Each structure stands twice: as C-alpha cells, then as structure tokens.
Amino acid sequence: MFQITRKVGRAELILDAKKLGNDYLLTLMGGKEHAGAVAVGVFDEKSQRASSSVISLPGHREEQIALQGARHVSKATRQTTVFIVGIHLDDITPEEIRDTVSISDEMVKSFITFYKRSNNTVGEKK
C-alpha cells in the first residue's frame, strides 16, 4: 500500500504500511532488521482521542518511535494501528540516534499525508 525509504547516516530506513481490513500495520526497519518494539494505537470515537501502548524488547530503545507513531497514525486514520520498529546500528552515536528519531517521525508524517490524500480527509475535523 505504502512504502518510503530514507537514508540516515549509515542506515537506510524503510517504512512499510499495509491495510489489515480497516486497520493498519506499519513496520519501520533499518540496519540489522529485527522487532525491537511493538506498539498498538487505538482511536476512541467517543472522546475523539488516540492512545497507544508499547512493548519493547530488552536492550532495545525503539519504544518512543513505535509509541508515538502508532498514536499519530491511529489519530489520523481513526483506526487501530500496529507499529513494529526495528532499527539497529553497531556503535550508534548520539547524533545518529537524533537523526534516526527525526527522520522516523518525518516518515510517519509522510504516510499520514499519503493516507489523507488517498482518503480525501485533509479537511477532517480535529
């Protein structure tokens, strides 16, 4: 359905999004692919709010990317979102971490823009 690739320092990040019925499955991988964190985002029609929960594997630090990405996608799509993130670079530097987090956020926003254009929801109520 949607795929975007971005080069970040030594890594190539790939965001892939697929529809699962009315819901969405996103994966964001880079470097040595793996499942580092898995988040589920849900949209509550009554409160008009999205929330998310995350499970992070021991020793992995992708939880914030997964948690925020799942929540943002669920808010935009008003559907359940499962977001799996696995990014690994040996000896990653603080600068590479900052760049990876920033580019990951931009990639999620690119998917949301694609979703809104595809579904003509640019003017949806907030």
Side-chain angles (χ1 to χ4, degrees), residues 8-12 30-32 87-93 96 100:
V8 182
R10 298 178 287 145
E12 180 176 79
K32 295 179 186 172
I87 302 167
H88 178 84
L89 288 175
D90 289 332
D91 303 315
I92 193 167
T93 67
E96 287 175 318
T100 298

Side-chain angles (χ1 to χ4, degrees), residues 73-114:
V73 172
S74 288
K75 183 174 182 175
T77 63
R78 302 167 75 93
Q79 300 297 330
T80 299
T81 301
V82 175
F83 195 7
I84 303 169
V85 181
I87 302 167
H88 178 84
L89 288 175
D90 289 332
D91 303 315
I92 193 167
T93 67
E95 181 180 7
E96 287 175 318
I97 293 170
R98 281 190 302 274
D99 291 346
T100 298
V101 170
S102 177
I103 295 299
S104 297
D105 186 52
E106 289 176 20
M107 294 172 81
V108 169
K109 288 177 182 173
S110 292
F111 169 70
I112 291 169
T113 299
F114 166 82

